[in-house]
Amino acid sequence: MASALGRQRIEVRRLSVPPKEVRTRHLLEVRDLRTEFVTDDGVIHAVNGISFHVDEGETLAIVGESGSGKSVAMLSVMRLIPEPPGRIVSGEILFEGVDLRRLDRDSMRRLRGSRMAMIFQEPLSSLNPVFTIGDQIGEPLRIHLRLSARAVRERSIELLSMVNIPNPERILESYPHQLSGGMCQRVMLAIAISCEPRLLIADEPTTALDITTQAQLLELVSRLRDELRMAVVWITHDLGVVAGLADRVQVMYAGRIVETAGVDELYANPLHPYTIGLLRCIPRLDEERIERLASIPGTPPDMRTLSPGCPFAPRCSFVLDRCWAENPSLESVGAAHQRACWAPIDGLRAVRR
Amino acid sequence: MTTLDRDGTIATQAARAARQSHPLLEVDRLSVHFPITRGTVWQRIVGTVRAVDGVSFGIAPGETLGLVGESGSGKTTTGRAIVGLVRPTGGEIRFEGRALGDGSGSNRSRSRRRIQMIFQNPFASLNPRMTIGNIVADPLRVHGIGREAERRARVEEVLSLVGLDAALVNRYPHQLSGGQRQRVGVARALVMEPALVICDEPVSALDVSIRGQILNLLSDLQAQLGLAYLMISHDLAIVRHISHRVAVMYFGRLMETADRDTLYKNPRHPYTRALLAAVHIPDPHIERRRRARPLPGEVPSPSNLPTGCRFHTRCPLREYLGRPAECEQVEPEFRDLGGGHRVACHFAERSGEVDGNGLPAVARQRRADAAGNGASA
């Protein structure tokens, strides 16, 4: 007990002295985050030491396959990892200068839904089936903003109109099952923006939707982002979806960031074989049809037993001897462009489309 | 490419001789209507959802027909009607020249073996308590085919056909990745040696990075076994990849059908054009330039469809033409523009004029790129 307290105190002292300008510059800054899950079959190392930041009003896309740790990373930021079996092993999560790992449950609860909000993949399972839409939109308004019943109703109607829901008065009385998937996702978005958060985290919110509804939701999010000047973190496995939305893109593999760059740079000049692979996998309507669609061979690694080398090596077509022995760290390869790869840049450039 | 005559009346005496040239599957004015009921004990019918409302198409042996539409368009219900999971309320489905709905049970089960289905979600469509071996062998057991040892050999054969290690037979679905699970779904469909496989969004639940593996596997199997596919999807980019012909569906009706190259190079129905415009292109410059909202307006209620053309409430062409009365009053005929390119729109010839809301910059960019590619190739 005493030793645990002592360790905590040391940690507190270390955390309380980051340089001042860093604390004010970024809206969200994550340093060396590690998150694990303890299961009967072993410890799953879901996030393995990632550092990144999001600025005010900026849109960051986090891209990777399932199991890459992209969702776990952002759930850790929101402190929504169930503990146990999960645990945040190390790292700092500075949001508006405050380390979220040191906040107690109540302070965290005050933050979630008001300063930072999240929308998820399955809109129908995120909404409570036994409450009306009005009840669910009203909740953050009552709890965080302490609005009166009448003000809650007015604001709810206003929010539903903001997300392009026709007939908001009627929708307030509806239950989730009476709405389509696209409508539910817009309701989720209305709840998320109800307190005008500074950060909106969107975890593949369009994956379960039709392509036309998906396009509408993307439009809507980019409009709201500009109107409310909020930052957005968009999690996806599809580089096609975020091309028009993101300012920066961060590609994750096996719980690490393998490449990050500004959006134009990343699509025009990808320098990690995994990013190149992800871009190649998307069938492009603006190009001639090709006979065989590209894919990345193999499957993502077992996150319980990660080898010392680069986790992408078994699937990589540029693999070198060194890749099996040493895991490359993220290094600068251009203006605001970093990658974690041993393969020579010229070789990668030569084979790109 | 095989095109079929629309009436598709097969002279029974020539049926056997004509089988090669005749389509494998003919769907003739198929409708599937679901009643909407009120009350728990004394149920009253208060309305009808016309999920499929008079749809006709054919699939030749070895051919892939892409069936495209949004959710609620009836594309999945069409597929389920063909497999026999829902009962049609009208029209006819003929398979290998024989009507599916009638005949004795044994006749039905014979055709059922030859039509199999692959489902969208490989996490939900495999029984978590059954081993992979049992999942794949189950159809054989249900139809009473072979002895245990023969079944086991057949399962191993099919697993290797879909690129899975035979050692997986004793594993459970949760021990496999999404791509492997979908391969199991393919193996389960193939174990019956079908002639037609209904693929209901076979890759939409999978990561972009492994979709290619499954789609290429499906093409390889088609080449190897001469399978025909009905490829149901909402993603026109994927359908283009794997289909020979494409049919576009909206609220129970076909809006447009053509061979692949015609449909993608010269789409005539405003709905097809809107679906094409909604496909993302992994290029920030192109994506930022397109700011047009792909389809305005809410999807209509399936129990209360718009009059006239059912797309008129969302149609950018109708807006552009100053809302002509026909669109609201007259249901457009599914007419032939030549060469089997059929479209259900009064003003299909003018759909290219829409620029603001249809398929704008993206299409022009695409055309320019295609021209550029052609010159350089």
Side-chain angles (χ1 to χ4, degrees):
Chain A
M1 186 71 191
S3 72
L5 259 176
R7 199 163 33 194
Q8 203 165 9
R9 204 168 295 139
I10 292 164
E11 205 170 70
V12 168
R13 200 176 306 135
R14 191 166 60 80
L15 291 176
S16 59
V17 287
K20 260 224 164 76
E21 67 277 9
V22 174
R23 294 172 84 189
T24 47
R25 205 190 313 149
H26 301 304
L27 175 68
L28 172 72
E29 182 170 13
V30 172
R31 289 189 210 148
D32 194 37
L33 177 71
R34 281 167 207 276
T35 306
E36 297 174 349
F37 292 89
V38 181
T39 70
D40 293 344
D41 299 330
V43 178
I44 296 168
H45 304 274
V47 175
N48 299 311
I50 62 169
S51 303
F52 64 96
H53 68 269
V54 184
D55 287 328
E56 290 274 355
E58 184 188 42
T59 302
L60 173 72
I62 303 185
V63 181
E65 290 167 292
S66 28
S68 62
K70 55 194 195 302
S71 295
V72 173
M74 291 321 290
L75 287 170
S76 306
V77 167
M78 288 288 279
R79 298 286 311 280
L80 286 174
I81 296 288
E83 301 178 32
R87 60 171 188 229
I88 299 176
V89 185
S90 75
E92 293 163 54
I93 304 163
L94 299 167
F95 178 70
E96 298 185 312
V98 178
D99 189 351
L100 301 186
R101 284 193 66 202
R102 285 162 48 203
L103 291 187
D104 57 35
R105 279 172 66 129
D106 286 342
S107 322
M108 203 54 225
R109 229 176 236 168
R110 276 195 291 276
L111 212 62
R112 276 194 297 254
S114 65
R115 305 297 295 169
M116 56 205 299
M118 189 156 179
I119 55 175
F120 300 91
Q121 189 176 125
E122 292 284 342
L124 213 56
S125 55
S126 307
L127 290 167
N128 191 327
V130 301
F131 289 100
T132 64
I133 300 300
D135 291 334
Q136 301 186 54
I137 295 196
E139 195 178 311
L141 300 172
R142 281 190 301 272
I143 292 173
H144 291 303
L145 304 181
R146 299 179 188 284
L147 297 184
S148 67
R150 174 187 281 179
V152 163
R153 189 177 158 79
E154 278 170 15
R155 176 74 177 145
S156 302
I157 291 173
E158 188 191 354
L159 284 165
L160 288 178
S161 325
M162 279 172 80
V163 296
N164 295 337
I165 288 183
N167 237 324
E169 288 88 350
R170 193 172 54 88
I171 298 296
L172 282 184
E173 315 300 324
S174 309
Y175 288 88
H177 74 270
Q178 297 172 303
L179 308 182
S180 68
M183 286 274 254
C184 284
Q185 198 55 284
R186 275 184 268 172
V187 168
M188 285 304 298
L189 190 57
I191 296 172
I193 62 165
S194 59
C195 303
E196 304 198 352
R198 300 327 300 148
L199 176 66
L200 173 71
I201 300 169
D203 189 358
E204 307 228 29
T206 62
T207 309
L209 302 178
D210 271 327
I211 209 148
T212 46
T213 324
Q214 191 177 64
Q216 284 177 357
L217 197 81
L218 278 164
E219 277 290 313
L220 184 61
V221 168
S222 66
R223 202 196 76 217
L224 292 170
R225 170 195 62 188
D226 298 343
E227 275 175 24
L228 306 174
R229 302 188 53 249
M230 62 183 177
V232 175
V233 174
W234 192 284
I235 301 170
T236 182
H237 65 109
D238 187 346
L239 274 166
V241 171
V242 287
L245 184 77
D247 298 310
R248 279 190 301 126
V249 181
Q250 172 172 308
V251 181
M252 283 187 72
Y253 190 78
R256 297 172 129 242
I257 298 170
V258 295
E259 183 162 14
T260 172
V263 66
D264 291 336
E265 168 75 4
L266 189 102
Y267 285 80
N269 190 23
L271 290 175
H272 193 288
Y274 183 57
T275 316
I276 295 173
L278 285 178
L279 278 169
R280 271 207 196 136
C281 290
I282 305 169
R284 292 184 66 145
L285 270 188
D286 61 329
E287 287 177 1
E288 286 297 296
R289 180 177 170 273
I290 37 168
E291 228 13 83
R292 291 187 80 75
L293 195 59
S295 59
I296 301 179
T299 48
D302 186 341
M303 303 295 281
R304 287 166 298 187
T305 50
L306 284 170
S307 60
C310 171
F312 189 59
R315 305 173 73 188
C316 183
S317 40
F318 302 92
V319 66
L320 310 167
D321 287 345
R322 189 176 187 185
C323 303
W324 300 105
E326 263 179 282
N327 197 354
S329 53
L330 207 54
E331 272 167 30
S332 195
V333 285
H337 190 168
Q338 295 173 295
R339 65 155 197 171
C341 180
W342 297 123
I345 288 175
D346 294 342
L348 291 174
R349 281 211 179 108
V351 297
R352 252 178 7 229
R353 63 162 89 240
Chain B
M1 221 153 297
T2 332
T3 45
L4 57 140
D5 60 332
R6 181 145 176 282
D7 298 322
T9 39
I10 300 173
T12 35
Q13 66 271 30
R16 191 177 299 162
R19 196 154 292 167
Q20 278 87 355
S21 63
H22 264 289
L24 179 73
L25 176 84
E26 290 162 281
V27 173
D28 186 15
R29 282 160 291 176
L30 173 74
S31 21
V32 183
H33 293 182
F34 296 108
I36 306 171
T37 55
R38 278 275 153 74
T40 40
V41 183
W42 288 279
Q43 295 202 333
R44 295 169 289 130
I45 293 177
V46 294
T48 315
V49 171
R50 296 190 288 178
V52 182
D53 201 15
V55 162
S56 305
F57 59 83
I59 302 178
E63 186 189 39
T64 303
L65 174 71
L67 187 60
V68 185
E70 293 168 288
S71 43
S73 63
K75 56 188 194 305
T76 296
T77 308
T78 304
R80 293 173 77 91
I82 295 168
V83 194
L85 291 172
V86 294
R87 195 174 279 275
T89 48
E92 200 175 44
I93 302 169
R94 282 186 296 274
F95 181 72
E96 295 180 322
R98 224 173 287 146
L100 268 187
D102 57 43
S104 62
S106 71
N107 178 26
R108 202 179 309 162
S109 93
R110 214 198 115 273
S111 347
R112 288 286 143 74
R113 288 181 207 173
R114 306 267 295 151
I115 309 178
Q116 293 293 319
M117 189 155 183
I118 300 170
F119 296 91
Q120 171 169 3
N121 189 341
F123 296 83
S125 62
L126 303 180
N127 187 335
R129 302 222 216 167
M130 283 168 78
T131 61
I132 301 306
N134 282 333
I135 289 172
V136 177
D138 212 33
L140 296 173
R141 213 168 286 139
V142 168
H143 287 276
I145 298 170
R147 290 161 206 272
E148 192 56 42
E150 290 164 349
R151 286 183 204 146
R152 206 173 301 143
R154 174 76 185 136
V155 166
E156 284 182 14
E157 188 187 337
V158 179
L159 285 180
S160 81
L161 198 61
V162 300
L164 287 175
D165 191 341
L168 292 179
V169 286
N170 294 321
R171 298 277 186 87
Y172 286 89
H174 75 268
Q175 296 171 297
L176 307 187
S177 71
Q180 286 175 316
R181 267 183 258 201
Q182 197 56 303
R183 283 174 197 265
V184 173
V186 176
R188 176 174 59 183
L190 291 186
V191 77
M192 298 303 293
E193 302 185 29
L196 172 68
V197 180
I198 313 290
C199 310
D200 189 3
E201 306 258 14
V203 297
S204 17
L206 303 179
D207 272 321
V208 167
S209 50
I210 50 169
R211 285 181 182 171
Q213 294 178 7
I214 299 296
L215 291 174
N216 291 340
L217 171 69
L218 290 173
S219 321
D220 291 346
L221 292 169
Q222 182 166 54
Q224 215 174 322
L225 308 170
L227 298 172
Y229 294 129
L230 177 66
M231 183 64 58
I232 299 169
S233 177
H234 68 269
D235 188 339
L236 273 162
I238 281 172
V239 165
R240 176 194 188 213
H241 211 79
I242 197 156
S243 306
H244 302 113
R245 279 189 308 127
V246 181
V248 180
M249 205 168 167
Y250 186 75
F251 277 95
R253 281 282 167 104
L254 291 187
M255 295 287 117
E256 184 163 12
T257 149
D259 65 81
R260 178 190 64 222
D261 293 343
T262 308
L263 191 102
Y264 285 90
K265 291 208 171 96
N266 187 24
R268 296 320 306 178
H269 199 287
Y271 181 57
T272 313
R273 299 172 81 87
L275 286 179
L276 282 167
V279 172
H280 292 288
I281 290 168
D283 181 329
H285 298 285
I286 299 179
E287 286 288 301
R288 263 184 247 127
R289 228 181 307 156
R290 80 137 159 235
R291 271 296 171 217
R293 276 176 51 201
L295 265 188
E298 237 359 89
V299 179
S301 156
S303 59
N304 185 20
L305 290 174
T307 55
C309 170
R310 46 194 78 193
F311 184 56
H312 85 255
T313 52
R314 299 166 78 196
C315 183
L317 179 61
R318 172 172 169 266
E319 291 298 315
Y320 169 81
L321 296 173
R323 305 190 176 198
E326 283 110 305
C327 299
E328 274 168 78
Q329 287 160 8
V330 186
E331 172 131 34
E333 190 195 336
F334 196 44
R335 59 201 170 96
D336 200 331
L337 300 176
H341 186 178
R342 305 176 80 96
V343 61
C345 173
H346 297 299
F347 302 101
E349 284 79 4
R350 300 189 63 188
S351 58
E353 293 171 30
V354 186
D355 224 327
N357 245 338
L359 88 165
V362 184
R364 262 180 272 119
Q365 173 74 29
R366 191 179 304 148
R367 234 169 276 136
D369 282 2
N373 283 355
S376 64

